Amino acid sequence: MIELNNITMRYSMAGTVITVLRDLNCSVAAQERVAIVGPSGSGKTTLLLLMTGLEQAQSGSVRINGNALESMDRDQRADLRRKEIGIVFQSFHLIPSLSARENVALPLDIGGTADSSARADEMLSRVGLSERRAHYPAQLSGGEQQRVAIARALVHRPGIIFADEPTGNLDEATGQSIMELLFDLKKESGATLLLVTHDPAVAMRCDRTLRLQEGRLHDTAAPSSE
Amino acid sequence: MIELNNITMRYSMAGTVITVLRDLNCSVAAQERVAIVGPSGSGKTTLLLLMTGLEQAQSGSVRINGNALESMDRDQRADLRRKEIGIVFQSFHLIPSLSARENVALPLDIGGTADSSARADEMLSRVGLSERRAHYPAQLSGGEQQRVAIARALVHRPGIIFADEPTGNLDEATGQSIMELLFDLKKESGATLLLVTHDPAVAMRCDRTLRLQEGRLHDTAAPSSE
Ligand SMILES: Nc1ncnc2c1ncn2[C@@H]1O[C@H](COP(=O)(O)OP(=O)(O)OP(=O)(O)O)[C@@H](O)[C@H]1O
Ligand SMILES: Nc1ncnc2c1ncn2[C@@H]1O[C@H](COP(=O)(O)OP(=O)(O)OP(=O)(O)O)[C@@H](O)[C@H]1O
Ligand SMILES: [Mg+2]
Ligand SMILES: [Mg+2]
């Protein structure tokens, strides 16, 4: 389902090269729930961007459902994302000029689905935001924006769900109900779940936890093992 | 130090009025460490914006160090903030066109301090970001942006530190070192600390925890008491 082979990723800035991922390998099976943990700045978001084709590594290969991303052009990668992937970004990336409802309906509108508003309403209700449908992102709390981003990532029932710190702005109770939703949807649609998280409670509910350290992934026995 | 009396805050949108805070009262003594907890969407950020004069309530009064904010104009409130307050925003609000170092130096530059770069470097080192000084916000991880926002809020040694979910994007270890820094600085400069947080570990380290529920603040015995 998701395969990374010998991935090396560097960022170049004026006079400096930062090697974030070094010869990294990773394999996620269909329907697996994997948590990715590691210190701030270790490269978790970078890893997610590579897995979803939004960044490209200097060397190595990424396969999503058998498709090698490095041999696809920008439009083909965008197509793959639209059909098969849902992404919750660490900084949400909501569209400021669209309401919560319009933001959530967007993946369905782009795909030409007829009942996009009804399905957006249903997903917003599942994240507890029925009463905030008409609000624009600037009229929502931090955790409400996060939940709109989550609803948008799930509304088109993607086969792979990537979430970058999906409970970072949520109190414990709301965070737990969001995890319930993610795991329920995974059961309903057989999705694969890849969750970057700082929350041990989230990692503990996954099948496997990978720790990112010094640019490489290590299996861990338990999320809080040090 | 911080006094709120009979604060009622509403947001008006097309055809709807949302009452977020109802007749709310709150008093924080000098050098106290107070945590504010409550569900996503309950009004914590709104409360912080009112306490810092960045929003104005429909009724009630806010006093900071004896100054009634509602009888000050915009410039006077901006002056008060610059001299006496440090704010860590939930969405950071870093300036995209300035490097990490320039962002952190900004409160000192505005205040006309001579050694602003040296002091910015010192604070960046205390949040573990010496090697990221030249990066622009877009070249930083989520937790690194959060730490730059924290450094910027502390660099001018304000008498009151407001922080809106300062550990939301940080792993446990980095989050703990940031809390150490906040509490050390509070000891060094006698600052008052007001922390909005979803993290029980943060609340437990404070002198008092207030829970925001149905628009009002309630004292709690312990952060996780339900
Ligand atoms: N465009 C860029 N140019 C240079 N360096 C970058 C760029 N983007 C990210 N970095 C650096 O790469 C490293 C990894 O960033 P990444 O966002 O993947 O970390 P992360 O593990 O998601 O951290 P966090 O938990 O704080 O979100 C960081 O140290 C960051 O400063
Ligand atoms: N400009 C606005 N117009 C209308 N409603 C708003 C506006 N800003 C915030 N709200 C609403 O006011 C309520 C309180 O928002 P606030 O940002 O204070 O919550 P919060 O407690 O900080 O939540 P979180 O923990 O998710 O950050 C939310 O339900 C939000 O939708
Ligand atoms: Mg990240
Ligand atoms: Mg908030």
Side-chain angles (χ1 to χ4, degrees):
Chain A
M1 280 314 106
I2 304 173
E3 270 186 59
L4 273 63
N5 283 303
N6 293 96
I7 288 289
T8 293
M9 176 70 183
R10 298 184 198 94
Y11 289 112
S12 304
M13 293 167 52
T16 307
V17 175
I18 296 171
T19 303
V20 181
L21 307 175
R22 306 168 187 278
D23 226 17
L24 181 144
N25 295 293
C26 176
S27 186
V28 179
Q31 303 199 24
E32 211 184 352
R33 295 167 305 190
V34 175
I36 300 203
V37 302
S40 168
S42 55
K44 305 177 297 298
T45 294
T46 300
L47 184 60
L48 221 71
L49 295 175
L50 286 173
M51 286 178 165
T52 54
L54 289 165
E55 274 282 1
Q56 283 194 296
Q58 279 71 37
S59 58
S61 78
V62 181
R63 287 181 175 277
I64 297 286
N65 297 336
N67 304 294
L69 298 189
E70 53 282 353
S71 53
M72 299 165 85
D73 66 31
R74 266 188 64 162
D75 290 340
Q76 289 171 320
R77 288 199 303 275
D79 259 358
L80 179 75
R81 271 194 296 278
R82 211 174 7 252
K83 299 197 196 101
E84 309 192 26
I85 286 175
I87 309 171
V88 185
F89 294 97
Q90 188 169 7
S91 58
F92 319 149
H93 294 317
L94 297 180
I95 297 181
S97 53
L98 297 183
S99 68
R101 185 194 224 195
E102 290 164 338
N103 264 285
V104 176
L106 199 57
L108 296 176
D109 289 333
I110 293 178
T113 313
D115 61 342
S116 62
S117 289
R119 286 178 58 176
D121 288 349
E122 187 231 349
M123 199 55 79
L124 279 167
S125 143
R126 291 179 83 163
V127 299
L129 291 179
S130 294
E131 298 183 12
R132 294 290 180 268
R133 289 193 304 232
H135 286 230
Y136 287 85
Q139 298 168 320
L140 292 170
S141 78
E144 289 170 344
Q145 291 175 19
Q146 185 157 41
R147 285 181 274 160
V148 173
I150 290 164
R152 180 182 64 179
L154 305 176
V155 74
H156 54 301
R157 302 306 168 104
I160 308 179
I161 300 164
F162 292 91
D164 200 341
E165 306 203 27
T167 59
N169 281 278
L170 303 175
D171 55 285
E172 213 166 329
T174 310
Q176 273 175 21
S177 65
I178 289 302
M179 291 314 300
E180 292 305 321
L181 173 63
L182 281 172
F183 283 31
D184 285 347
L185 282 177
K186 175 244 183 305
K187 278 211 206 81
E188 291 171 16
S189 62
T192 306
L193 274 188
L194 202 118
L195 308 176
V196 165
T197 183
H198 284 312
D199 188 347
V202 171
M204 256 185 274
R205 301 195 52 176
C206 293
D207 304 313
R208 190 159 52 115
T209 295
L210 303 172
R211 173 167 297 276
L212 189 51
Q213 215 147 12
E214 313 289 317
R216 292 192 172 87
L217 277 175
H218 309 269
D219 265 292
T220 61
S224 50
S225 63
E226 281 305 317
Chain B
M1 279 315 105
I2 302 173
E3 270 187 60
L4 272 63
N5 284 304
N6 294 97
I7 288 288
T8 292
M9 176 71 182
R10 299 184 197 93
Y11 289 113
S12 306
M13 292 169 52
T16 307
V17 174
I18 295 171
T19 303
V20 181
L21 307 175
R22 303 168 188 281
D23 226 16
L24 181 144
N25 296 292
C26 177
S27 184
V28 179
Q31 305 202 18
E32 213 186 348
R33 295 169 305 190
V34 176
I36 301 202
V37 301
S40 168
S42 55
K44 306 179 295 298
T45 294
T46 300
L47 185 60
L48 221 70
L49 296 175
L50 287 171
M51 285 176 165
T52 54
L54 288 166
E55 275 283 359
Q56 283 194 292
Q58 279 71 37
S59 57
S61 79
V62 181
R63 286 180 177 278
I64 296 286
N65 296 337
N67 305 294
L69 298 190
E70 52 281 354
S71 53
M72 298 164 87
D73 65 31
R74 267 190 64 163
D75 289 340
Q76 289 171 319
R77 289 199 302 275
D79 259 357
L80 180 74
R81 270 193 299 276
R82 209 170 14 248
K83 299 196 195 101
E84 308 193 25
I85 287 174
I87 309 170
V88 186
F89 294 97
Q90 188 169 6
S91 58
F92 319 149
H93 294 317
L94 298 180
I95 297 180
S97 53
L98 298 182
S99 68
R101 184 193 226 195
E102 290 163 338
N103 264 286
V104 176
L106 199 58
L108 295 176
D109 288 334
I110 292 177
T113 312
D115 62 342
S116 61
S117 287
R119 286 178 59 176
D121 287 349
E122 189 232 347
M123 199 54 79
L124 279 168
S125 143
R126 291 180 82 162
V127 298
L129 290 179
S130 294
E131 298 184 14
R132 294 289 181 267
R133 290 191 308 228
H135 287 230
Y136 289 85
Q139 297 169 320
L140 293 170
S141 77
E144 289 170 345
Q145 291 175 22
Q146 185 157 42
R147 284 181 274 161
V148 173
I150 290 164
R152 180 181 65 178
L154 305 176
V155 73
H156 55 304
R157 303 304 168 105
I160 309 178
I161 300 164
F162 292 91
D164 199 343
E165 307 202 25
T167 60
N169 281 278
L170 303 175
D171 55 284
E172 211 165 328
T174 309
Q176 273 173 23
S177 66
I178 289 301
M179 290 314 299
E180 291 305 321
L181 172 63
L182 282 171
F183 284 30
D184 286 347
L185 282 175
K186 175 242 185 300
K187 280 211 205 81
E188 290 172 17
S189 60
T192 306
L193 274 189
L194 202 118
L195 309 176
V196 166
T197 185
H198 284 312
D199 187 347
V202 171
M204 257 185 272
R205 300 195 56 174
C206 293
D207 304 313
R208 192 160 50 114
T209 295
L210 303 171
R211 173 166 297 277
L212 189 50
Q213 215 145 12
E214 314 288 319
R216 294 194 173 88
L217 276 175
H218 310 268
D219 265 293
T220 62
S224 51
S225 64
E226 282 304 319

